[in-house]
């Protein structure tokens, strides 16, 4: 027992020393970045004033290797992003901002449904900007972890944005990786493509919806958007069709796809006149499949993940009055909408689990509770919330 006291004391001292070391390392890094920041157009006064009280947030380093676009099953990812809640709200906003969206389409050629779909996926129509002060997050990522050179460019860009007065320092809050505003532009993307659509002299993606919607359309236009063309559509594959060598980038004439037996999801023949298309089958030959055109590539460039691009494309179709995919996902445990996730969280609370706020976000505390309930029910304890668990808990309410 006497040995434990010095050991516990040593651990306590170590726990105090680690943040101090991180702060010292961070301060030294900020000192080193002064010269390259000045070379990048940040004045010494701006740099000193805006970095004077910065402290590192090491929680952002943990997020570098986690992206839900690549880790979640696609049926979970899409179920949370394209649900009836978001479709209904998006339709209301299409009407509310109809005049602005018409002007945006006239100037940039991008249809209102696509612009609003990006808005919905990126920030839930301006309701979820993110909680991270950008200078703190980008400063930390500039000094710790991998990809420091990339994040230093974004850090200097954020400083230039504040220096130019587009956004107030206390308003520059966003994602852990530095994206901000209604449609989540990275700082360098803001500098290249943000638009002062209302002519007030500022490009404001936080408090100015018109600037944000126009900037999104400008992004897609510069990414190669073809006005009046579809992003793609769902197709039905013939039995035994091989996906080998096929993908978004391998574009073929529609006549070739038709000759190989592809039809639209409703069984009708492929349309004539559209450009070459690639075949996207994110869950393999037994799940939904899509022929995608150049406009899908423009959406994909917003965030380089095909599941992300499909979420925006599908939401845009739903906002135009389209329905769910015809072919179901190849799973016996489909994903949950945000309303269903909140319902699941409520049921977990009723069973005595402390999961924090009921917010439709199945974070670590929710996943711990889900594992416990899966074990109790004899399910595989994956920590994933799906329809099987929701229905089982509802039945045992």
């Amino acid at each position: 027992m006497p040995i434990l006291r010095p050991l516990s004391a040593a651990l306590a001292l170590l726990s105090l020393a680690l943040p101090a070391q991180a702060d010292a390392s961070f301060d030294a890094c900020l000192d080193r970045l002064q010269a390259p920041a000045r070379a990048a157009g940040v004045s010494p006064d701006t740099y000193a004033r805006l970095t004077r009280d910065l402290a590192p947030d090491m929680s952002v380093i943990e997020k570098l290797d986690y992206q839900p676009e690549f880790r979640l099953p696609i049926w979970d990812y899409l179920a949370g992003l394209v649900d009836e809640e978001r479709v209904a709200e998006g339709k209301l906003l299409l009407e509310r901002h109809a005049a602005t969206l018409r002007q945006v389409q006239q100037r940039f050629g991008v249809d209102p449904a696509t612009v609003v779909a990006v808005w919905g996926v990126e920030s839930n129509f301006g309701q979820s900007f993110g909680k991270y002060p950008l200078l703190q997050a980008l400063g930390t990522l500039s000094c710790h972890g991998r990809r420091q050179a990339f994040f230093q460019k974004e850090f200097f860009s954020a400083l230039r944005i504040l220096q130019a007065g587009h956004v107030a320092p206390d308003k520059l809050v966003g994602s852990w990786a530095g994206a901000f505003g209604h449609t989540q532009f990275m700082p360098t993307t803001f500098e290249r493509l943000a638009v002062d659509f209302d002519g007030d002299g500022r490009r404001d993606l936080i408090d100015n919806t018109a600037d944000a919607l126009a900037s999104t359309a400008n992004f897609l236009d510069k990414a190669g958007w073809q006005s009046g063309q579809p992003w793609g559509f769902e197709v039905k594959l013939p039995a035994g069709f091989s996906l080998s060598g096929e993908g978004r980038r391998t574009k073929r004439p529609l006549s070739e796809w038709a000759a190989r037996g592809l039809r639209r999801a409703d069984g009708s023949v492929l349309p004539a006149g559209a450009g070459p298309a690639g075949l996207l089958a994110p869950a393999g030959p037994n799940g939904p499949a899509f022929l995608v055109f150049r406009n899908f590539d423009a959406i994909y460039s917003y965030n380089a993940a095909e599941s992300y691009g499909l979420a925006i494309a599908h939401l845009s179709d739903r906002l135009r009055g389209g329905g769910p995919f015809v072919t179901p996902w190849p799973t016996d445990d489909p994903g949950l909408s945000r309303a269903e996730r909140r319902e699941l969280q409520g049921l977990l609370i009723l069973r005595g689990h402390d999961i924090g706020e009921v917010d439709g976000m199945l974070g670590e505390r929710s996943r711990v509770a889900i594992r416990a309930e899966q074990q109790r029910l004899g399910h595989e304890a994956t920590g994933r919330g799906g329809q099987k668990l929701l229905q089982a808990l509802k039945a045992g309410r």
Side-chain angles (χ1 to χ4, degrees):
M1 290 298 292
I3 296 175
L4 294 179
R5 290 196 186 91
L7 178 58
S8 61
L11 290 174
L13 289 172
L14 181 61
S15 68
L16 292 172
L18 288 176
Q21 290 172 3
D23 285 347
S25 171
F26 184 65
D27 290 343
C29 176
L30 290 180
D31 287 343
R32 289 196 304 273
L33 292 179
Q34 286 187 69
R38 186 164 56 250
V42 181
S43 74
D45 175 67
T46 295
Y47 190 87
R49 176 169 50 86
L50 294 176
T51 64
R52 184 177 298 121
D53 298 321
L54 278 188
D57 178 1
M58 301 307 290
S59 72
V60 300
I61 304 300
E62 301 167 10
K63 300 181 183 296
L64 266 175
D65 294 315
Y66 178 77
Q67 287 184 273
E69 298 93 331
F70 301 110
R71 295 194 175 225
L72 288 175
I74 189 165
W75 43 86
D76 282 351
Y77 183 74
L78 289 181
L81 286 177
V82 187
D83 56 17
E84 297 303 327
E85 234 180 309
R86 185 157 284 147
V87 172
E89 187 165 4
K91 288 180 177 179
L92 288 175
L93 291 170
L94 276 170
E95 295 179 8
R96 185 178 303 164
H97 297 279
T100 297
L101 289 164
R102 277 195 301 271
Q103 295 170 8
V104 166
Q105 184 172 18
Q106 289 168 2
R107 180 166 167 184
F108 299 106
V110 183
D111 66 281
T114 298
V115 174
V116 171
V118 174
W119 188 17
V121 168
E122 284 292 346
S123 72
N124 194 26
F125 308 114
Q127 297 174 51
S128 302
F129 282 173
K131 63 180 181 180
Y132 295 89
L134 249 65
L135 291 186
Q136 182 183 39
L138 289 172
T140 304
L141 292 164
S142 295
C143 294
H144 298 284
R146 60 185 181 85
R147 301 183 69 195
Q148 290 179 25
F150 168 82
F151 286 110
Q152 285 168 16
K153 291 178 182 177
E154 299 297 338
F155 183 47
F156 299 157
S157 176
L159 290 164
R160 289 193 299 266
I161 290 168
L162 294 172
Q163 180 174 270
H166 293 293
V167 181
D170 62 324
K171 288 290 189 79
L172 195 59
V173 175
S175 78
W176 66 267
F180 70 99
H182 280 274
T183 49
Q184 296 288 284
F185 273 25
M186 292 295 287
T188 55
T189 303
F190 174 99
E191 290 193 301
R192 286 189 300 112
L193 298 172
V195 173
D196 173 18
F197 197 64
D198 64 356
D200 68 354
R202 295 166 60 240
R203 295 182 289 169
D204 183 359
L205 305 190
I206 295 173
D207 290 327
N208 191 317
T209 304
D211 282 3
L213 298 178
S215 298
T216 300
N218 188 39
F219 181 107
L220 293 171
D221 177 43
K222 297 299 189 295
W225 186 268
Q226 298 178 347
S227 181
Q229 296 297 311
W231 67 266
F233 46 78
E234 188 182 355
V235 293
K236 183 177 178 61
L237 303 178
F241 187 89
S242 173
L243 295 173
S244 178
E246 306 299 349
R248 176 179 58 85
R249 295 185 183 88
T250 309
K251 294 198 167 42
R252 308 179 189 277
L254 290 187
S255 58
E256 184 175 335
W257 291 119
R260 294 176 65 182
L262 271 67
R263 296 290 183 269
R264 294 200 68 149
D266 62 4
S268 62
V269 298
L270 301 184
L279 180 61
L280 187 64
N286 297 320
F290 312 89
L291 286 179
V292 296
F293 301 96
R294 181 67 188 86
N295 283 350
F296 185 86
D297 296 334
I299 295 171
Y300 173 89
S301 69
Y302 211 98
N303 180 359
E306 289 175 347
S307 55
Y308 169 90
L310 190 57
I312 288 177
H314 185 40
L315 180 55
S316 72
D317 280 351
R318 295 296 310 275
L319 294 177
R320 297 183 195 99
F325 297 139
V326 174
T327 302
W329 295 109
T331 177
D332 62 354
D333 190 15
L336 301 176
S337 69
R338 289 172 298 156
E340 289 171 326
R341 291 175 187 179
R342 292 193 295 270
E343 184 179 13
L344 174 60
Q345 288 178 314
L347 291 167
L348 292 171
I349 289 173
L350 286 176
R351 294 204 59 83
H353 297 284
D354 178 11
I355 63 160
E357 183 184 358
V358 174
D359 57 5
M361 306 289 289
L362 300 182
E364 182 56 33
R365 291 163 75 180
S366 291
R367 290 194 294 270
V368 168
I370 287 169
R371 288 189 196 97
E373 289 302 310
Q374 287 171 327
Q375 289 175 335
R376 181 183 66 81
L377 292 163
H379 298 181
E380 183 182 1
T382 62
R384 171 188 171 265
Q387 290 290 345
K388 281 185 176 180
L389 179 63
L390 175 62
Q391 298 310 320
L393 292 181
K394 287 169 69 174
R397 189 194 301 267

